[in-house]
Amino acid sequence: MSTMNSRTGDGTRAVRAGLPDPVAYEPTLPGPVFAAHYHLPGEPTGPYTYGRDENPTWTHLERAIGELEAPEETGVETVVFASGMAAVSAVLLSQTRAGDTVVLPSDGYQALALVREQLEAYDVRVRTAPTGGDAQLGVLDGARLLWIETPSNPGLDVCDVRRLADAAHAAGALVAVDNTLATPLGQRPLELGADFSVASGTKGLTGHGDVLLGYVTCRDAELAARVRRWRKVVGAIPGPMEAWLAHRSLATLQLRADKQGANALALAEALREHPAVSGLRHPGLPGDPSYTVASRQMRRFGSVVSFTLPDRGYAERFLDGLRLAEDATSFGGVRSTAERRARWGGDAVPEGFVRFSVGAEDPEDLVADVLRALDAAAP
């Protein structure tokens, strides 16, 4: 039985979340269970019947994520998936049907455009509005589901989750929040009124760039059952090794989140006055357009900083000149990465826009490397 209570700190919760009751001479966190099928005499009434439906390694991870997303709540269910997009698709496609209306952010993760195409192919109407300024409030009428992404990726705008959730529920809509950038230690969407907290565990949750994973957490058993059934139908299940690696990585989540968040703020402050930098964004930076709302609803501000350099060439020279950050996509890892986001073509950002995912390096080293690369990139 868990000994954690409402006063348990984030670090304690992270290192103990989802662990089974101790068994003499067994490991604290059992190893991954590789099984396509299980011994199944008689009627299939046990917890584990077939490998596409359930796996003990998933169970431990799902309990752990649930304890982080909604501490001390009973009845919360988490469903893990093979990737973040599998989790996103599961919510949007399991909770809607032809004739429904879905509200998406117009500035959200670029793969949402692919989901929009699929929704519209199924005769689900889609409306969009920006994250900033709670603009989605203006397009809620008649919606079945509101999808919120806060902070948004890659622009780092923040909206008031509780305000939007209250308005959506009053209008009869469900609310899902993409919590990828914040992680459960930065923001708890269910506590802010959302029906679903959804995330790519590929990013900050696991933090090492070696696992693809997604999850959905909600407190309504019927909604969770629809999501779980969708996973069964499409087979978007995580491998047991990936699930075990993810659970192992949760033990350092608080350490990573604090270190990377502090580094991100240090980098943002160092970039403030640099003449080549414009459009600097980080939700934890005082004066940022998102700072006031983020300070109300976020407990940590995340590890991502974004900014714009004068043009594509400047940005590419900057990225080539970095020694402590790799030119790579994704974010949230312990090793800093950065990319010129416009190279993908799916985000409405300038050619010189850089999304910088701050790692766990010593901040003095990282800041010095970034400033040196910026100066070296000048024409």
Side-chain angles (χ1 to χ4, degrees), residues 37 40 52 87 95 108 113 122 134 165 181 213 278 292 313 318 355 378:
H37 58 266
L40 194 62
R52 190 181 67 249
Q95 306 298 323
Y122 291 154
D134 299 342
L181 198 144
L213 192 87
S278 62
T292 299
F318 164 68
R355 184 181 70 184

Side-chain angles (χ1 to χ4, degrees), residues 80-219:
V80 291
F81 287 85
S83 70
M85 281 308 298
V88 169
S89 301
V91 173
L92 287 167
L93 295 171
S94 71
Q95 306 298 323
T96 60
R97 59 186 180 184
D100 286 343
T101 296
V102 169
V103 175
L104 300 178
S106 59
D107 54 345
Y109 178 51
Q110 62 173 242
L112 281 178
L114 303 177
V115 181
R116 176 177 184 167
E117 290 178 10
Q118 195 61 59
L119 287 167
E120 291 176 336
Y122 291 154
D123 197 27
V124 175
R125 294 181 290 271
V126 178
R127 302 182 194 136
T128 64
T131 299
D134 299 342
Q136 290 174 300
L137 285 172
V139 291
L140 284 177
D141 188 43
R144 163 65 181 166
L145 190 148
L146 166 64
W147 187 271
I148 297 170
E149 188 177 296
T150 182
S152 61
N153 175 28
L156 302 182
D157 271 323
V158 171
C159 59
D160 187 329
V161 174
R162 189 175 298 282
R163 182 185 183 203
L164 283 164
D166 288 347
H169 290 152
L174 296 170
V175 178
V177 175
D178 186 328
N179 205 34
T180 301
L181 198 144
T183 81
L185 295 195
Q187 183 172 263
R188 292 177 183 153
L190 299 187
E191 291 183 357
L192 296 169
D195 299 291
F196 302 94
S197 182
V198 188
S200 168
T202 309
K203 314 296 195 299
L205 188 84
T206 56
H208 291 79
D210 55 9
V211 172
L212 287 172
L213 192 87
Y215 70 86
V216 178
T217 300
C218 61
R219 59 167 64 91

Side-chain angles (χ1 to χ4, degrees), residues 110-111 113 312 339-351:
Q110 62 173 242
R312 172 176 176 166
E339 71 169 338
R340 192 181 67 82
R341 192 62 186 164
R343 66 182 177 175
W344 297 99
D347 297 307
V349 295
E351 286 294 323

